[in-house]
Amino acid sequence: MSLRPIVHADAEAGGRAVAERVFDLAAEAIRARGAFAIAVSGGRSPETMFRAFASRRAAAAEGEPWTVLWCDERVVPPDDPRSNFGLARRLWLAPARVPAERIIPVPTELPAEQAADRYDGLLRERFAPGASSPRPRQAFDVAVLGLGPDGHTASLFPGRPSLAVVGRWSVAERSPTQEPRVPRVTLTLEGIGHVRHAIFLAWGAEKRPVLSSLFSDDGTTGARDLPAGRVRAQESVEWHVDRSAWPTGPSA
Ligand code: 6PG
């Protein structure tokens, strides 16, 4: 893990700063390619960012060429409080009236394996190079990822076979090693690797130990094997943390 994180005063400031970063990347993508696609995560870390998206309304509001997808999803109904789609809908998509045709949720009405297969096909059709789809291929611009205390990201957990899956953009994970222990669908490392910019969010003292492992100067190999440490992207991987998670170093 080479780059040092960007340190924000707290989660609120960090979430707002990441939202501004996303708006900049979206403007760049729309100028260059006329569209912008972002994959978001669940959990608590993205909440302020979602609220900032909603308050700016421009983010994927009617007519803005944003496509929204997920880095991972719990295979539960959208109204279930554990749903990552439900979280984004409540804090952002509904208040900002993002049109349904710009949203690619994981089809959680299906069992996990079938949902992962269907989602994989949707992603390939929309984003894979050389797709046969009549629709123009769209770039997959940003993935906003969280970090679990065990080093997981999306629903890629340490030691799980899903980490080694190649040739797929998304896969089912039936045995998450962290709560909520419900079947998941997750982007694979290969799937995340198609993104231009990966943006990690890590707020709070509970993330301090895993961050110090991921960024340890002694390069302990174990840490580098953590799922979050294995994420690569086409152009950049950046980390946004707050002072509770990263007590040393200057604030952003
Ligand atoms: C999920 C998330 C997951 C999350 C981390 C961090 O579906 O649970 O995608 O990977 O990002 O567990 O969770 P917090 O943001 O709540 O700390």
Side-chain angles (χ1 to χ4, degrees), residues 162-181:
S162 50
L163 273 174
V165 167
V166 292
R168 285 183 65 101
W169 286 55
S170 67
V171 72
E173 172 52 76
R174 275 212 171 272
S175 307
T177 54
Q178 295 275 311
E179 293 300 337
R181 294 175 192 264

Side-chain angles (χ1 to χ4, degrees), residues 40-47 70-74 82-84 144-150 152-157 178-180 184-186 201-203 206-207:
V40 296
S41 291
R44 296 182 311 277
S45 299
E47 290 180 359
W70 276 261
C71 296
D72 70 323
E73 184 55 280
R74 294 81 175 271
R82 298 168 295 185
S83 167
N84 290 344
V144 179
L145 292 157
L147 172 68
D150 60 345
H152 84 261
T153 192
S155 288
L156 295 168
F157 296 94
Q178 295 275 311
E179 293 300 337
R184 313 281 191 96
V185 171
T186 183
L201 315 180
W203 323 125
E206 65 165 353
K207 306 295 171 77

Side-chain angles (χ1 to χ4, degrees), residues 14 20 36 58 62-63 77 79 93 99 106 112 119 128 133 144 157 162 180 183 188 195 206 209 211 247:
E20 289 305 317
F36 174 69
E62 196 89 21
D79 295 331
L93 302 175
V106 175
Y119 195 54
S133 157
V144 179
F157 296 94
S162 50
T188 57
V195 78
E206 65 165 353
L211 281 171

Side-chain angles (χ1 to χ4, degrees), residues 67-134:
T67 298
V68 185
L69 52 141
W70 276 261
C71 296
D72 70 323
E73 184 55 280
R74 294 81 175 271
V75 185
V76 296
D79 295 331
D80 185 302
R82 298 168 295 185
S83 167
N84 290 344
F85 167 79
L87 173 73
R89 180 177 59 180
R90 178 165 53 84
L91 297 183
W92 167 31
L93 302 175
R97 293 202 304 277
V98 176
E101 62 268 21
R102 295 215 167 277
I103 300 170
I104 309 178
V106 175
T108 54
E109 67 278 7
L110 299 172
E113 286 73 13
Q114 292 173 45
D117 290 346
R118 175 82 58 82
Y119 195 54
D120 189 271
L122 290 170
L123 297 176
R124 287 170 185 283
E125 182 188 342
R126 183 70 70 93
F127 302 111
S132 56
S133 157

